[in-house]
């Protein structure tokens, strides 16, 4: 079953010929243009769109789309999410995964304590952090835990098959 993945967002209009600023969420910003076609989602209204040209501009990216030729038409797309089908994402080598694969996984420590499920991943300056929604019967009364994604130190293993992340983390923390 295909899922739509948000790869970026349309920013402000650039110039008068229909160019728009692009905010890429990909690790290497330019690789957003490796995916095609795009689906723009603005307030639940979706539209297939094709990039005809793109280029770097200052510290960002700008793009021109087929059939958008003036500022007014471009203005109608500002703020739209850029979606692609997950089948467009490259296959990863064995043992690697996308962050989105971690959402919904159980987080369990070495003593068998189940912290709950991963609901989000936050990027911080130093390391990423798993946002774990605690089980309703959490023994420590926690509703949510933030667990740093530090491989080997905190994160001991990730099993896509079992949908489980093993951690070295104190449940009282």
């Amino acid at each position: 079953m295909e899922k739509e993945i948000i790869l970026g967002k349309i920013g402000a209009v650039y110039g008068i010929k229909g160019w728009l600023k692009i905010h890429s969420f990909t690790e290497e910003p330019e690789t957003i243009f490796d995916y095609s076609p795009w689906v723009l989602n603005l307030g639940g209204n979706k539209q297939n769109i094709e990039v005809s040209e793109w280029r770097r501009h200052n510290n960002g990216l700008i793009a021109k789309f087929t059939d958008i030729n003036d500022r007014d038409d471009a203005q109608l797309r500002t703020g739209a999410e850029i979606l692609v089908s997950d089948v467009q994402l490259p296959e990863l080598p064995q043992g690697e995964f996308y962050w989105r694969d971690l959402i919904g996984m159980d987080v369990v420590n070495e003593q068998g304590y189940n912290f709950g499920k991963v609901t989000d991943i936050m990027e911080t300056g130093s390391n990423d952090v798993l946002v774990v929604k605690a089980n309703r019967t959490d023994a420590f009364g926690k509703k949510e835990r933030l667990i740093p994604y530090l491989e080997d130190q905190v994160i001991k293993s990730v099993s896509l098959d079992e949908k489980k992340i093993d951690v070295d983390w104190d449940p009282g923390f």
Side-chain angles (χ1 to χ4, degrees):
M1 186 170 136
E2 290 183 28
K3 292 170 79 173
E4 291 177 326
I5 306 298
I6 301 171
L7 284 189
K9 193 169 188 174
I10 302 291
V13 174
Y14 177 81
I16 61 170
K17 296 184 179 179
W19 287 75
L20 287 153
K21 293 181 181 180
I22 305 297
H23 302 286
S24 175
F25 300 157
T26 57
E27 189 170 351
E28 298 293 327
E30 295 90 359
T31 60
I32 193 170
F33 298 107
D34 293 345
Y35 302 95
S36 181
W38 286 0
V39 175
L40 297 186
N41 179 23
L42 187 60
N45 295 321
K46 294 182 179 180
Q47 170 193 13
N48 289 328
I49 198 153
E50 186 178 325
V51 176
S52 58
E53 299 178 60
W54 71 272
R55 63 178 174 245
R56 290 198 71 47
H57 179 71
N58 294 330
N59 291 329
L61 301 168
I62 58 173
K64 173 84 173 74
F65 300 97
T66 306
D67 301 327
I68 297 177
N69 297 308
D70 63 52
R71 184 177 184 87
D72 292 337
D73 212 10
Q75 184 69 44
L76 298 173
R77 277 62 174 205
T78 60
E81 294 174 324
I82 300 167
L83 309 175
V84 298
S85 169
D86 65 347
V87 298
Q88 291 179 259
L89 299 176
E91 288 288 323
L92 295 175
Q94 183 68 27
E96 291 187 22
F97 48 84
Y98 288 106
W99 281 134
R100 67 183 173 91
D101 297 334
L102 301 181
I103 305 297
M105 284 193 170
D106 286 313
V107 179
V108 180
N109 75 1
E110 295 169 313
Q111 291 75 35
Y113 187 85
N114 188 324
F115 291 96
K117 295 191 181 298
V118 176
T119 58
D120 198 5
I121 299 168
M122 297 187 321
E123 291 183 50
T124 67
S126 57
N127 58 271
D128 295 322
V129 175
L130 298 176
V131 178
V132 180
K133 182 178 180 185
N135 296 316
R136 283 188 282 148
T137 59
D138 188 83
F140 295 88
K142 303 277 187 181
K143 291 185 177 161
E144 180 178 87
R145 285 187 176 81
L146 302 178
I147 300 176
Y149 195 94
L150 298 169
E151 287 185 284
D152 299 326
Q153 293 175 13
V154 176
I155 306 299
K156 296 303 181 181
S157 68
V158 175
S159 172
L160 295 175
D161 295 333
E162 294 178 46
K163 296 197 99 12
K164 185 174 98 169
I165 301 170
D166 291 314
V167 297
D168 181 6
W169 196 251
D170 183 349
F173 188 66

